[in-house]
Amino acid sequence: MKSWRAQVLVCAGAGCVSSGCAGVYNAIVEKIKEHGLSEEVRVIETGCLGSCNMGPLALVNPEGILYMKLTPADAGDIVLQHLVQGQPVERLMYKDPATGKAIAKMEDIDFFKLQQKIVLRNCGLIDPKNIDDYLERDGYKALEKVLLNMSPEEVIETLINSGLRGRGGAGFPTGLKWKFTHQAAKTPKYVVCNADEGDPGAFMDRSVIEGDPHSVLEAMAIAGYTIGANQGYVYIRAEYPLAIERLTWAIDQARERNYLGKNIFGSGFDFDINIKIGAGAFVCGEETALLASIEGKRGEPRPRPPFPAVEGLFGCPTLINNVETYANIPAIILNGADWFARFGTEKSKGTKVFALAGSIENTGLVEVPMGTPLYDLVYKIGGGLKKDKKFKAAQTGGPSGGCIPEKYINIPVDYESLAQIGAIVGSGGLIITDEDTCIVDFARFFMEFTQNESCGKCPPCRIGTKRILEILIRITQGRGKEEDLDRLRELCYNIKDTALCGLGQTAPNPVLTTLKYFEDEYLEHIRDKRCRANVCKRLTKKAGVKISN
């Protein structure tokens, strides 16, 4: 491997792509050529560095200097002043919001220094289209270790002892899921990666595939060996073209190097992976609907049992995990169960990736140990709310999650703690709202999403979410009645108890949690015809109807 004096890592995650990183990359490459540095400085397009609001970004190693909000015109200063003269460019550095002082190194910026990266360990540091970059960071060594030195039972025991739980939302113990599929007698078996990330504001899985696709492929091959499967599928939505491109590239390279295909590492184990592109239906994030879609059928859930571990794809035992879950596997195999279990809480081990979004200074992708206080995510990593607005609530878990009020700002973010207050970790969407958010309209937004995305198979979800949405719209228009709140609760609990799949069963969560913690705002809309956030246009900020219906 060639040794470089310096590397310029230009973030080329989807966020930076949309803000013009390609122009920055090309300009830096041109300036490096002009100064005759092409043989000593490497310029790389990487996956997401995480801080989406600062893009386009570039990280210069080995010093670890981060430059933000770049334009092609900045390339000249980066190359001449930094790479030629050895003087980092202060005007392009991150500025401490409290002091205004420039912070040169990425590791010294709060957004980055408070994170613990396991899933995102390679994102932003490697060229996702170059398998050699992945190999240089111990890529495919976990697969080699498993195939040559571990039995399937030892892999399962390692995962069980690690405490890893599925990161797709349900939090089921990963080792147990692998064990059940391993024990299934029927063959053939399949490995499936759920990359159908459809929550509004969530982009964790997409970013992992864009920035480190081989970590997912390696984990799927390990899974294939463990459960006895020779074929895997990555189910990914068509709305993620950059991720699909990089995943396709990675699969081709893995086949060329024989990390996929026949007799991998001379072990006699065969495994290959194909991509199945979905049309972007939210319900296909539910595993049985996803399997139906891969089979070419309409993406609808089916009753369980039988669970996919027993009867899944094409009626055969199938292991399904999401992208983030798989991305943990190689690191656990290489470093051991105890290493992984030291992160997080007693019951929620490891780390969790969140997509920070909403009314917050620092938005983007963050990875923190399970149990990290919500306050740290909002104020230390997130930098607090924009324009010093007042925190109102945090929505975790997307449209299936719950709304956390200010009184729980210090709650540890883990499976058990959030469940106690009616919220869920979910897949990792984390939307922060401020005092300008109408909580009733916020609940209406999520219910409108789930109602539109309901597959319609079961009446509780198809009809129940429609009725809930109608009531919420009435309230936001000043036509609500106090008895509507009891109707909402009754509908919500009925749907939770009777809907066919997890998406329907969790759809009422935003309504229930906002009713629980913000009932006064609902009553203001109904009794006083008032929307304190001035969002509901038919109401006023003060009492009284603004526009009659």
Side-chain angles (χ1 to χ4, degrees):
M1 185 69 67
K2 180 179 174 62
S3 179
W4 300 90
R5 176 172 69 84
Q7 292 190 346
V8 181
L9 309 175
V10 180
C11 179
C16 280
V17 168
S18 63
S19 57
C21 70
V24 174
Y25 170 85
N26 292 332
I28 293 175
V29 169
E30 283 302 312
K31 289 296 178 184
I32 283 179
K33 288 180 181 176
E34 286 180 22
H35 290 275
L37 300 176
S38 298
E39 292 301 314
E40 54 185 293
V41 178
R42 183 188 181 201
V43 187
I44 307 170
E45 286 185 300
T46 72
C48 182
L49 276 163
S51 49
C52 300
N53 64 309
M54 302 180 193
L57 294 160
L59 176 66
V60 181
N61 280 335
E63 302 100 318
I65 306 295
L66 182 70
Y67 296 124
M68 55 180 285
K69 295 187 182 297
L70 298 176
T71 68
D74 297 319
D77 283 352
I78 292 174
V79 174
L80 178 61
Q81 188 174 324
H82 185 159
L83 296 172
V84 175
Q85 300 172 347
Q87 296 295 323
V89 187
E90 184 173 320
R91 71 176 180 83
L92 300 176
M93 297 175 185
Y94 175 81
K95 307 298 188 301
D96 186 300
T99 65
K101 184 178 178 182
I103 301 177
K105 293 191 175 184
M106 187 171 81
E107 64 188 28
D108 294 330
I109 299 172
D110 283 348
F111 182 87
F112 297 100
K113 73 180 181 184
L114 298 176
Q115 296 190 47
Q116 178 65 49
K117 294 192 175 183
I118 297 175
V119 173
L120 302 176
R121 60 193 178 279
N122 294 324
C123 289
L125 297 178
I126 65 172
D127 179 353
K129 295 170 72 172
N130 186 339
I131 193 172
D132 289 326
D133 276 19
Y134 183 67
L135 295 175
E136 195 174 4
R137 292 177 63 84
D138 294 335
Y140 289 104
K141 286 188 177 178
L143 177 60
E144 182 179 18
K145 177 180 178 180
V146 163
L147 294 183
L148 302 184
N149 298 299
M150 295 178 74
S151 67
E153 290 79 7
E154 288 173 325
V155 176
I156 291 168
E157 183 181 5
T158 299
L159 293 186
I160 290 175
N161 291 339
S162 76
L164 176 65
R165 295 165 65 173
R167 299 304 196 231
F172 189 80
T174 301
L176 283 181
K177 182 181 271 191
W178 287 39
K179 182 178 181 179
F180 295 151
T181 320
H182 166 75
Q183 291 175 335
K186 189 175 180 180
T187 58
K189 299 179 183 180
Y190 296 99
V191 173
V192 172
C193 176
N194 182 350
D196 191 63
E197 185 178 51
D199 290 6
F203 51 94
M204 302 78 60
D205 290 351
R206 185 196 72 200
S207 295
V208 170
I209 291 180
E210 287 177 356
D212 190 19
H214 285 287
S215 67
V216 178
L217 302 182
E218 182 177 9
M220 291 179 69
I222 292 171
Y225 166 76
T226 305
I227 69 164
N230 301 112
Q231 179 64 53
Y233 292 92
V234 178
Y235 186 87
I236 185 168
R237 54 180 49 213
E239 298 164 11
Y240 288 177
L242 185 61
I244 293 171
E245 175 191 330
R246 292 179 181 175
L247 185 64
T248 303
W249 195 286
I251 289 174
D252 289 343
Q253 288 188 330
R255 287 172 177 160
E256 291 172 4
R257 302 289 184 96
N258 196 214
Y259 299 119
L260 293 176
K262 301 288 186 183
N263 194 26
I264 300 170
F265 284 110
S267 64
F269 171 63
D270 305 336
F271 191 76
D272 202 1
I273 295 172
N274 289 328
I275 299 172
K276 172 66 179 180
I277 299 175
F282 182 64
V283 73
C284 286
E286 198 279 338
E287 57 185 17
T288 60
L290 181 154
L291 295 177
S293 182
I294 291 178
E295 293 172 351
K297 302 173 184 173
R298 180 170 178 158
E300 290 181 334
R302 63 163 172 77
R304 298 175 298 176
F307 290 94
V310 176
E311 189 175 316
L313 189 62
F314 306 118
C316 298
T318 303
L319 176 70
I320 307 178
N321 286 126
N322 82 329
V323 171
E324 184 179 346
T325 308
Y326 280 124
N328 276 293
I329 304 295
I332 292 173
I333 296 296
L334 287 179
N335 297 296
D338 291 343
W339 166 82
F340 184 80
R342 77 184 190 191
F343 302 105
T345 67
E346 181 181 355
K347 294 182 178 179
S348 297
K349 303 294 187 186
T351 60
K352 181 74 191 78
V353 181
F354 291 97
L356 268 180
S359 305
I360 197 166
E361 288 287 353
N362 303 326
T363 57
L365 208 61
V366 302
E367 182 176 3
V368 294
M370 283 282 193
T372 296
L374 178 61
Y375 179 91
D376 289 359
L377 282 161
V378 175
Y379 288 98
K380 294 182 178 178
I381 296 175
L385 278 79
K386 293 178 179 177
K387 300 178 181 178
D388 293 324
K389 293 282 185 176
K390 190 174 184 298
F391 174 90
K392 188 165 197 174
Q395 175 74 17
T396 60
S400 301
C403 201
I404 302 174
E406 186 179 19
K407 69 177 181 179
Y408 292 119
I409 190 66
N410 290 309
I411 192 169
V413 180
D414 57 58
Y415 294 113
E416 289 72 30
S417 300
L418 294 193
Q420 288 177 2
I421 62 170
I424 63 172
V425 173
S427 60
L430 183 52
I431 301 174
I432 310 302
T433 67
D434 64 18
E435 59 199 274
D436 292 335
T437 300
C438 169
I439 215 69
V440 183
D441 187 67
F442 195 55
R444 180 205 57 76
F445 167 79
F446 284 111
M447 185 50 60
E448 185 174 42
F449 176 84
T450 51
Q451 210 284 315
N452 287 338
E453 292 290 337
S454 173
C455 74
K457 184 173 182 177
C458 76
C461 183
R462 182 181 71 244
I463 302 172
T465 57
K466 179 72 172 175
R467 297 287 92 85
I468 290 176
L469 179 60
E470 290 170 352
I471 294 172
L472 291 173
I473 290 174
R474 281 208 307 269
I475 295 174
T476 59
Q477 292 180 345
R479 297 184 290 114
K481 301 175 182 177
E482 287 194 40
E483 51 265 38
D484 281 338
L485 302 190
D486 288 334
R487 291 195 187 98
L488 281 175
R489 292 187 178 93
E490 183 180 4
L491 276 167
C492 287
Y493 286 119
N494 280 337
I495 293 171
K496 286 180 73 71
D497 290 340
T498 58
L500 175 59
C501 76
L503 299 185
Q505 292 159 11
T506 56
N509 284 348
V511 179
L512 286 172
T513 50
T514 53
L515 276 171
K516 182 177 182 180
Y517 299 119
F518 299 93
E519 185 177 5
D520 57 333
E521 282 201 39
Y522 280 87
L523 289 173
E524 283 177 0
H525 283 67
I526 294 170
R527 291 174 180 168
D528 305 331
K529 312 303 178 188
R530 172 179 179 246
C531 173
R532 67 175 73 172
N534 206 25
V535 171
C536 301
K537 297 305 180 186
R538 296 195 179 193
L539 308 180
T540 67
K541 205 169 183 178
K542 298 179 180 179
V545 177
K546 182 179 177 183
I547 301 174
S548 59
N549 185 33

